[in-house]
Every structure is written in C-alpha cells, then in structure tokens.
Amino acid sequence: MAEVRETMSANGRGSIPLLSPYKMANFNLSHRIVLAPLTRCRSYGNMPQPHAAVYYSQRTTNDGLLISEATIVSETGLGYPESPGIWTKEQVEAWKPVVEAVHNRGGIFFCQIWHAGRASNSELQPNAEAPISCTDKGITTSADGFWSPPRQLRTDEIPLIVNDFRLAARNSMEAGFDGVEIHAANGYLIEQFMKDGVNDRTDEYGGSLENRCRFALEIVEAVAKEIGSDRIGIRLSPFADQLECSDSNPEALAIYMANALNKYNIVYLHAVEPRTLRSGESCKTSYSLLPMREAFKGAFMVAGGCDRAEGKTVIAEKKADLVAFGRLFLANPDLPKRFELDAPLNRYDRSTFYTLDPVVGYTDYPFLEYVPAN
Ligand code: PHB
C-alpha cells in the first residue's frame, strides 16, 4: 500500500485541547483523540479480514493512537461470533496487513487482548464445553446475549490463562502492533475476577481486594516480561456494572489497581466512565475517575460517550490525557479532522454495528469531503 500520511493542518491545533500533542511514554502522539476498541463482528471464523485494513486505515492519522477491537487470546476466550483472535499463526499472519495499513498512514496501533470468560455460550466453546470464569455463577439476564452457566476455573488452571495473555501479547508483537491493551473491563474474564459481585472464590484469587486483583496483575506482569512494560495499556471499568459485574467498593478497587499498576510502569490506564448503571440510574455525576487519575503515574485515558465539547473539557481541565471515542469514530472515519474544524458529524447507525457486511456500516461512512454543506 502506498505511503499516505495524513497530517492535520496546523490551523486550530493547540487552541483545541483535544488536538494538542501528547507524549505517551515512547510514543509522540500528535493529538489526544483515540479510536476506542470496538467489536464489529466482521472477522469471519475469528480471522482478521482484508476489509479490516480499510476500516482501520480510514481512521488513522499520523501519530494518532488506535486500539483494535477486542481480540481473543485463546479458543475459550470467545464471547461473540466473528471476533478476531490472535492465538494462531494464521491469525497473526492475517493481522499483519491490517497493522501495516495503519502504519503506512503513520498510526500507532495497540491490540486489545481479551477473554470473555462467562460472557459466552457453550456453542462458541471448544467441544461445546461450559465457558470458564472465576465462578460457576452465570449471568442471569439475557438482554445482552445468550449466556451458558460457566465452570469455575481450578486454581491450577489460572496460570494457563495468564500464559494465554502472554502469548497473545507476543503474537501481537509478531503481527507488528505497537503495544497491547489488556481488556480488564466491562464484565469480561479479568473483571469477573476483580469484582466481589461475581468472584466467590475461596483460594488466593478470591476474597480480599488484593486476591481479586491478583489475576489481572499476574497478567500485567507476564505480558510486561514478554514484551516490555512500555508497550502495555490496560482498560478498567471499576464503576460500571456491565454483564452483572459490579463491586461493593469501586472507589477502593480503582485506587488499588492504579497504585498496583504504578509498580509495573505501564504506558496507560484506559478507564471506562459509565453514564448509567443497569438499574437505569445515572452515575456520571455520582462517581468520579479523578482519584484513580491522580493515583496513576502513566497516561490516563477516558472513554464513555464523550462528544467534542466534553472531550475538550476533559483535556482542558486535565481530567485525562487522552479521550477514546467509540461510536463517533465508528461513524466518522475522519473524526480528528471534523473536531478540528468543528464540522458536522455523520450519525452512527446502531443497526449495522455488529452485522457481517464488509462494507455497509463499516467502511462506507463518508469522509468530510462528501458531507453536503448546510
Ligand atoms: C466491551 O468491552 O464492552 C466489549 C468487548 C468485546 C465485545 C463486545 C463488547 O465483543
């Protein structure tokens, strides 16, 4: 692919906080607008496809940061069909042109490595077995998917899963990614361990906060040893309760993890800021990520449905260093440019978020040039 580096015009940069440069460890980012990890269900048979190269490169800016969709670390990690994996040689080979397409446009690309844990169904599991988790308690509501009762991992099986994350990180490097984001949020396996609303273990991986966070931190340590701490980010959502994964003391969990992560000197902490809880109760104003931001020494990224104005405030008030945009970036491949110009945005179409089409709702959102002036 031809080397095409998009550079935003200097016009306005600096005056718009989101468009100011930021040094994130060894990465010199040209702006603060990050592509959030977004599941798109277009990796047929768990293989990244050529259309993903088009999709990600469309959203690439020179020295802009992109985080891949959640990418499965092992056969048991699958939670939704047609999500990409990174545990086989073939998957690594299939990722290579996708990563290359981003690099050709000067982007910085982290692979989000993921295990769904109990947020899965036996039909998606090898030999139709039960999904694995820290617990054998299943998800009771079916609003977000069809869940099978999980099987609680034995203590001696846990190092094998840690190792799967380590290998996935090694494979990510082999595929050419610049780093990995460990998905420890949103009710999936790592968070199932972290939160006392789910974790009912009686071994050294359950009970105290320290014990519940052990699995996450063992993964961070193993991945750091494998690829270096300067290539690691982590995503956490202590205040959310997605997939019935909640904690009785999210503030303590947030601070404990921020402090524990400081010891590993990782690149960034990516915190999900939920707007509502499952009950429908709004939590934007009642919970704050600020203490976690203050405790964490590396770059702090937030995600949670910010628009341009909120993103601007977050950066201007130093509540975060970076802002990840999901739905807006999905629907606006040139989102940084639109923010720079304060241009109108394409609306996202929720009905095509997870369809299999390689173009519709995926790579056919128009760039600014094609948006009629109003
Ligand atoms: C999420 O982090 O909420 C998430 C991850 C993977 C999916 C869907 C949602 O496939």
Side-chain angles (χ1 to χ4, degrees):
M1 188 181 283
E3 175 112 337
V4 186
R5 289 176 181 255
E6 179 180 320
T7 317
M8 286 181 296
S9 77
N11 179 20
R13 181 178 290 175
S15 60
I16 304 172
L18 276 172
L19 290 159
S20 60
Y22 177 70
K23 184 162 166 52
M24 182 187 81
N26 300 327
F27 303 98
N28 290 308
L29 306 182
S30 59
H31 59 82
R32 319 289 187 110
I33 303 160
V34 179
L35 175 66
L38 296 166
T39 285
R40 305 307 313 276
C41 298
R42 285 155 166 96
S43 293
Y44 316 136
N46 311 125
M47 292 288 283
Q49 299 292 316
H51 45 253
V54 179
Y55 168 78
Y56 283 109
S57 71
Q58 285 179 334
R59 285 156 184 77
T60 302
T61 47
N62 195 30
D63 291 324
L65 177 63
L66 298 89
I67 306 167
S68 80
E69 63 213 272
T71 300
I72 313 156
V73 299
S74 69
E75 262 188 307
T76 61
L78 186 61
Y80 303 95
E82 323 302 356
S83 316
I86 194 145
W87 74 89
T88 70
K89 260 194 174 334
E90 292 73 24
Q91 289 162 347
V92 172
E93 289 309 310
W95 269 116
K96 283 183 180 173
V98 181
V99 179
E100 196 185 347
V102 170
H103 284 162
N104 283 344
R105 292 176 59 85
I108 298 161
F109 202 9
F110 274 48
C111 184
Q112 191 193 57
I113 51 178
W114 173 60
H115 193 299
R118 70 174 185 166
S120 183
N121 188 289
S122 296
E123 281 173 28
L124 296 172
Q125 292 293 316
N127 309 314
E129 283 167 11
I132 55 172
S133 184
C134 61
T135 180
D136 55 16
K137 283 187 303 192
I139 302 171
T140 58
T141 49
S142 59
D144 314 314
F146 300 99
W147 320 117
S148 299
R151 174 180 73 80
Q152 184 179 56
L153 283 164
R154 297 188 314 270
T155 310
D156 66 304
E157 291 178 290
I158 293 174
L160 305 176
I161 313 293
V162 172
N163 198 45
D164 287 337
F165 275 90
R166 180 181 69 78
L167 292 174
R170 179 200 279 185
N171 286 345
S172 302
M173 295 300 102
E174 168 69 22
F177 282 102
D178 299 287
V180 298
E181 175 175 288
I182 297 167
H183 191 346
N186 295 348
Y188 297 104
L189 182 65
I190 302 178
E191 196 180 69
Q192 291 159 24
F193 271 83
M194 282 197 288
K195 291 189 169 174
D196 63 6
V198 177
N199 186 333
D200 55 0
R201 303 183 72 86
T202 53
D203 62 4
E204 66 265 36
Y205 291 93
S208 66
L209 194 48
E210 185 185 356
N211 281 359
R212 282 182 278 117
C213 293
R214 189 181 307 284
F215 178 57
L217 295 170
E218 284 181 355
I219 290 171
V220 173
E221 183 165 319
V223 171
K225 279 192 184 138
E226 185 66 42
I227 65 169
S229 57
D230 56 349
R231 296 194 176 276
I232 302 177
I234 191 166
R235 192 174 218 213
L236 298 174
S237 56
F239 298 101
D241 63 354
Q242 193 170 307
L243 298 168
E244 298 175 13
C245 205
S246 59
D247 196 84
S248 60
N249 191 347
E251 292 84 359
L253 174 61
I255 298 296
Y256 180 85
M257 280 301 291
N259 285 323
L261 289 167
N262 283 337
K263 294 183 203 131
Y264 297 99
N265 212 20
I266 63 169
V267 175
Y268 70 77
L269 196 172
H270 180 181
V272 178
E273 186 166 36
R275 307 236 149 178
T276 48
L277 297 174
R278 296 178 69 81
S279 59
E281 182 198 338
S282 163
C283 59
K284 176 84 177 166
T285 48
S286 49
Y287 290 119
S288 171
L289 298 173
L290 270 184
M292 183 162 56
R293 192 271 196 280
E294 279 157 16
F296 184 65
K297 303 246 186 323
F300 195 74
M301 187 190 309
V302 290
C306 275
D307 59 15
R308 180 180 186 269
E310 286 169 308
K312 182 175 164 183
T313 307
V314 161
I315 299 297
E317 295 181 357
K318 301 198 185 317
K319 289 183 173 151
D321 304 303
L322 301 162
V323 183
F325 292 89
R327 286 163 293 179
L328 296 187
F329 220 148
L330 179 157
N332 294 275
D334 49 359
L335 188 69
K337 175 67 100 188
R338 290 183 193 239
F339 278 175
E340 181 185 353
L341 302 175
D342 201 9
L345 300 181
N346 301 322
R347 290 221 184 113
Y348 53 80
D349 177 2
R350 196 181 288 280
S351 73
T352 55
F353 281 180
Y354 308 117
T355 48
L356 302 176
D357 198 292
V359 175
V360 178
Y362 192 51
T363 56
D364 64 348
Y365 282 105
F367 284 77
L368 198 51
E369 287 78 10
Y370 303 109
V371 175
N374 54 10

